[in-house]
Every structure is written in C-alpha cells, then in structure tokens.
Amino acid sequence: MKSRSDTMNKTFDQKRFKTMIRVANVIALIGLIILSIAFVGSLVVFLVGLFIPEDLVTFTLSEMNVSTVFDMQLGMYLSEDVMNAEITLKSMLISGGITMAANVAFAWVLFYMLKRVFTEVESERPFSTLAIKSLYFIAFLFIAAGFILPVFEFIFTSSLVDQIPSPHFDATYGLDMGRIFVGFLILILVGIFQYGAFLETEYEETV
C-alpha cells in the first residue's frame, strides 16, 4: 500500500518549488532595494515642496500639452475657469511626496514580510511561527492600508481641488475595499494553511 508521502512526492516537484522560492526571495530583495530608493526620493520631493517659494512654479491645465486628443477632451469637459486656474507646484510636491511615501512604505513592509516567509520556506520551515506570524501581519497590513492610504490620497486630491474653482471637483475620503478584501482573504487562507499544518502534524504523530 502506498503511503501518503509517496503520493505527495509524485505530485509535487520539490526541486522546481525550491527554485521558485529562491527566485521569489531574490525578487523580494531587489524590490526592497528599489522601494528604499523610492522612499528616499518621495521624502526629497516632500522636502523640496516644503522649502521652495509658493510662487516659484505655477501652471494651468491649458498649458499642459499631453496629446492632441487628450487636450481636446480636457477642453470639451472642463470650463475655461478650470482650464485657466493657477496650480502651484509647491502644494503638489508636498501632498504628492507624502502620498508617495505612504504608498512606498506600505509596499516596502509587504516585500519585507514576504521575504521573511520565503526565507523560512527556503530553510524548509514553512510552518514555523515566524512564517505564520508574517503571513498574519501581511493580512492585517492590507486591511489597515485600506483605511489609512485613502487618507493620503484624500490629502493629495484636496490640494488640487483647493486650487481649481469648480463645483464639479471635490475631494472625498473612501475606503479601499479592494485592499480590505485582499486582507480578509489572506486571513482566511492563512487560517486554512495553519489548520492543514495541524492536521499533518496530527497524522504523523498517529502513524
């Protein structure tokens, strides 16, 4: 009679899986380096905005030349007052820098936690306390981000809306239900993963 482990060995390619985890670990490390640079860049953007004079650089939407089609659409849907409203670069840099820093910080923590999980799996400790705790942290990180990151997006939108004299432009705060859903989904999957590890341990002890 074939054992359970024999059946698993035939259906699971351990070598390919280990290679995949190693590659994922390297990608996570590269991601952390890139995100660290991006975070420093966002802080530089914020500091530049903080110290430059208010009227150093101003622009209007009518001065923007993205493409002929885009410019025509702007002219069709926006009033002349909106098109000619002066927008200061200072406010955009401050609010944009903060928003970018918050989003990059979220991504950095996510990659860091994923790297911890990959390292544990690579060391053949997928059910370790550190791996489980890291996965739970990722789940709660997504849920928290669904509440917190929209605050920064609201700040950025508000800085733009305050400079455009139009009743059609408004800044509203809204939860990021996508991130919250992903967080709860990860929570459920980690619970199933933990339960599977428990059943595996019980089976091995029984045998």
Side-chain angles (χ1 to χ4, degrees):
M1 184 178 176
K2 289 182 180 178
S3 66
R4 193 171 171 178
S5 60
D6 290 336
T7 307
M8 279 294 292
N9 286 334
K10 285 190 175 182
T11 57
F12 181 71
D13 191 337
Q14 193 174 9
K15 189 178 178 182
R16 186 174 63 182
F17 178 74
K18 283 186 174 181
T19 303
M20 185 178 69
I21 290 297
R22 276 193 214 100
V23 171
N25 217 344
V26 171
I27 291 171
L29 179 60
I30 294 169
L32 284 172
I33 294 168
I34 294 170
L35 288 167
S36 297
I37 295 168
F39 184 75
V40 173
S42 63
L43 291 181
V44 170
V45 169
F46 169 74
L47 291 172
V48 168
L50 208 59
F51 291 108
I52 63 171
E54 185 79 34
D55 58 348
L56 180 65
V57 180
T58 60
F59 63 93
T60 63
L61 293 176
S62 59
E63 293 170 349
M64 293 174 63
N65 295 313
V66 181
S67 69
T68 307
V69 176
F70 181 77
D71 294 341
M72 284 178 63
Q73 287 177 336
L74 277 182
M76 286 171 60
Y77 293 110
L78 301 179
S79 67
E80 192 176 337
D81 289 339
V82 174
M83 291 293 291
N84 294 322
E86 270 199 354
I87 300 168
T88 62
L89 187 64
K90 181 182 178 73
S91 63
M92 298 294 290
L93 289 177
I94 292 172
S95 58
I98 294 173
T99 305
M100 182 180 170
N103 281 279
V104 170
F106 162 77
W108 193 95
V109 176
L110 175 62
F111 270 71
Y112 176 74
M113 287 296 163
L114 284 172
K115 190 177 185 314
R116 289 213 307 183
V117 174
F118 296 150
T119 302
E120 288 298 292
V121 174
E122 196 175 348
S123 303
E124 299 186 351
R125 296 190 300 268
F127 303 127
S128 70
T129 304
L130 181 63
I132 298 296
K133 281 184 177 179
S134 297
L135 288 170
Y136 272 118
F137 190 93
I138 289 170
F140 289 117
L141 178 69
F142 268 97
I143 294 169
F147 287 92
I148 297 168
L149 290 183
V151 173
F152 292 96
E153 289 159 11
F154 170 75
I155 292 169
F156 177 74
T157 310
S158 294
S159 71
L160 185 61
V161 167
D162 289 343
Q163 301 180 75
I164 297 177
S166 173
H168 304 294
F169 281 90
D170 192 22
T172 55
Y173 169 81
L175 298 178
D176 188 337
M177 296 308 297
R179 282 195 177 100
I180 294 171
F181 174 77
V182 169
F184 278 111
L185 187 63
I186 294 171
L187 269 181
I188 294 167
L189 292 174
V190 176
I192 294 169
F193 178 73
Q194 208 171 5
Y195 181 59
F198 167 74
L199 291 177
E200 184 69 27
T201 306
E202 240 190 9
Y203 175 81
E204 287 173 358
E205 286 174 357
T206 306
V207 173

